[in-house]
Amino acid sequence: MALLPILCYPDPRLHTVAKPVAQVDARIQSLVADMLQTMYEAQGIGLAATQVDVHERLIVIDVSEDRDSPMVLINPRVLWVSEQTHVNEEGCLSVPGIYDSVVRHDAIRIEAMDEKGQRREVQAQGLLAVCIQHEMDHLLGKVFVEYLSPLKRNRIKTKLVKAKREERA
Ligand code: K1U
Ligand code: ZN
């Protein structure tokens, strides 16, 4: 297993639209193991392949308290969303230190494959539903700050570019 570098906003690669995974093989299983290790190490509850510069439709998630219930979603597809929405506080490993409110569907149902290539359906609500919607946005090249006002987004961009510059100096 290996820790993978996480792309940081405003890296343009975060806006790449991911392609479907063609085959769930040893390469994908190894990527899943690396992404899980990277997500746990970074103390995140989710990670999309886009964030580690792999542009294939693959997500890992673990919203459990004990961090022992990994979920792997390959080629996820939305089947249903609730009409009801909710404002949630979100963060992102690609936008370190920034948390803000985003409106999401309360509940969703998706289909995806797991790491064995088995089709599964997931009905989600609460934090799991929020996290799946956030990670599926990553696969479309969308970062949560794009839901914020241009003013807020530009402030975040400036702050992170400055932080990166200082880190390099
Ligand atoms: O996509 C990511 O970078 C992972 C992200 C997932 C996420 C968190 C919160 C709401 C929606 C999606 C994170 O794990 S950010 C860090 C984190 O652990 C966290 C932040 C806020 C609430 C709960 C967890
Ligand atoms: Zn994110």
Side-chain angles (χ1 to χ4, degrees):
M1 282 204 284
L3 280 181
L4 305 170
I6 298 175
L7 298 178
C8 194
Y9 186 81
D11 192 308
R13 291 171 289 181
L14 284 168
H15 303 302
T16 310
V17 178
K19 296 200 168 80
V21 169
Q23 202 181 343
V24 182
D25 54 14
R27 179 184 69 87
I28 291 296
Q29 283 159 349
S30 167
L31 175 61
V32 165
D34 291 348
M35 283 177 58
L36 282 168
Q37 193 192 2
T38 303
M39 177 190 74
Y40 287 127
E41 165 76 18
Q43 296 181 352
I45 56 170
L47 187 69
T50 309
Q51 294 176 275
V52 293
D53 204 18
V54 176
H55 302 287
E56 293 177 72
R57 293 183 58 78
L58 166 54
I59 291 167
V60 296
I61 289 176
D62 190 344
V63 295
S64 70
E65 287 256 313
D66 295 335
R67 317 286 285 144
D68 59 356
S69 302
M71 179 181 278
V72 177
L73 301 174
I74 298 171
N75 295 341
R77 190 168 75 91
V78 175
L79 299 175
W80 169 85
V81 295
S82 64
E83 267 179 40
Q84 199 155 347
T85 57
H86 199 85
V87 180
N88 305 277
E89 189 81 347
E90 296 194 14
C92 182
L93 298 174
S94 295
V95 193
I98 307 291
Y99 296 87
D100 217 318
S101 304
V102 178
V103 178
R104 300 282 189 189
H105 300 286
D106 266 1
I108 56 167
R109 188 165 63 250
I110 60 152
E111 66 164 11
M113 281 187 291
D114 65 16
E115 69 280 12
K116 292 179 184 130
Q118 299 285 318
R119 182 189 176 275
R120 54 182 298 189
E121 278 192 27
V122 179
Q123 172 89 30
Q125 56 188 21
L127 185 57
L128 179 58
V130 172
C131 191
I132 291 174
Q133 290 170 79
H134 176 113
E135 301 309 333
M136 286 186 73
D137 271 354
H138 275 304
L139 300 181
L140 295 173
K142 187 159 185 172
V143 181
F144 87 100
V145 296
E146 288 165 64
Y147 291 106
L148 309 179
S149 69
L151 178 67
K152 269 193 181 178
R153 198 163 53 244
N154 279 327
R155 280 189 182 150
I156 292 166
K157 221 179 258 183
T158 305
K159 188 176 169 179
L160 293 179
V161 167
K162 189 163 171 260
K164 181 111 287 150
R165 214 181 290 134
E166 283 169 1
E167 198 183 286
R168 285 196 186 122

